[in-house]
Amino acid sequence: VNRENSLRMMKYAIGMRQHMLTFGPPGTAKTKLCDAVFGGITGARMFQTELSMFMDEGALFGPYDVKRMHDDGALVNRTDGMLPEVEFARIGEMLDASMPLLRTLLGALNERRFRRGKQDIEMPLMTAYCDTNEPPGEYLRSNPKAFAVLDRVLFMDKFEYLDKHEDVSEMVYRFQRGITSQATLELPLGTIQIISDLVTMPPGLIGDRRLVEAYGVAI
């Protein structure tokens, strides 16, 4: 209820293969929105986690392979089922993570690559949906080094509690009937990839260098 703008942003984020961050107080359906949208995508691999100050990068990229470490001394992450192997991810309580853990996301979110020594994985990640209770602007004032990470997130949206009586009554109505518990439509991953290919690399992409140079001057 009253999340039409947020849903529109999620559509844009998925179509453009970009990432989204929602922030606001607990109980404003940040997680619910993500679960409903990602739940309607079929054939895609998903990864979900809730970050905390005490987690290390294994929570995102998988633990070290103890057997490989014992056999040949190689530090290799076991990435099966983890962030490097999925198309969509939900990273909950993002700003509760430590700064070193947040900075491990730089290459994953932007270049879609996981590099650790000789381990180099090209990630299929399309969109990461991140959420937090803390406003990112306030967080950056006390943690300016996090700007590099948040700069990788193109879409941001603030969630508030419903404040209109008609919205609250509609929320209760839908909840009692289970209307908002799952996606009402399904879309296969292959279709989304075709659409996003047209968005990110359109056939009519400007090729005239003079226009690109004029754009650079304007910026």
Side-chain angles (χ1 to χ4, degrees), residues 5 17 24 38 154 170 176 190 217:
N5 184 60
R17 299 188 183 184
F38 284 177
L154 184 61
E170 179 66 17
Q176 289 181 330
V217 172

Side-chain angles (χ1 to χ4, degrees), residues 116-160:
R116 292 295 182 277
K118 295 181 179 180
Q119 194 173 15
D120 189 349
I121 299 174
E122 185 173 353
M123 297 170 52
L125 182 66
M126 293 184 65
T127 298
Y129 177 97
C130 311
D131 62 70
T132 180
N133 295 331
E134 187 170 359
E138 295 180 12
Y139 181 83
L140 285 174
R141 276 193 283 273
S142 55
N143 300 276
K145 291 182 179 180
F147 179 80
V149 181
L150 292 175
D151 187 50
R152 264 64 172 178
V153 182
L154 184 61
F155 295 93
M156 295 190 184
D157 196 20
K158 183 179 182 181
F159 277 40
E160 298 280 9

Side-chain angles (χ1 to χ4, degrees), residues 41-153:
I41 301 173
T42 61
R45 293 167 294 181
M46 307 279 182
F47 171 77
Q48 295 193 45
T49 190
E50 305 282 342
L51 298 184
S52 76
M53 177 65 68
F54 307 103
M55 287 181 171
D56 60 20
E57 65 177 44
L60 294 169
F61 304 109
Y64 285 125
D65 189 328
V66 177
K67 188 175 186 304
R68 287 283 305 274
M69 191 186 307
H70 179 269
D71 292 346
D72 52 27
L75 290 176
V76 176
N77 291 75
R78 295 175 54 188
T79 59
D80 47 300
M82 305 301 287
L83 184 60
E85 305 286 342
V86 302
E87 286 83 19
F88 296 99
R90 177 187 164 262
I91 302 175
E93 308 301 340
M94 182 184 187
L95 299 184
D96 284 359
S98 65
M99 189 57 59
L101 179 57
L102 274 182
R103 292 180 71 85
T104 63
L105 286 168
L106 289 173
L109 295 181
N110 197 42
E111 290 83 18
R112 266 70 165 195
R113 298 199 78 89
F114 173 65
R115 296 185 180 95
R116 292 295 182 277
K118 295 181 179 180
Q119 194 173 15
D120 189 349
I121 299 174
E122 185 173 353
M123 297 170 52
L125 182 66
M126 293 184 65
T127 298
Y129 177 97
C130 311
D131 62 70
T132 180
N133 295 331
E134 187 170 359
E138 295 180 12
Y139 181 83
L140 285 174
R141 276 193 283 273
S142 55
N143 300 276
K145 291 182 179 180
F147 179 80
V149 181
L150 292 175
D151 187 50
R152 264 64 172 178
V153 182

Side-chain angles (χ1 to χ4, degrees), residues 201-215:
M201 289 296 293
L205 196 66
I206 295 173
D208 191 326
R209 186 165 182 83
R210 292 171 299 175
L211 293 176
V212 178
E213 289 173 351
Y215 172 78

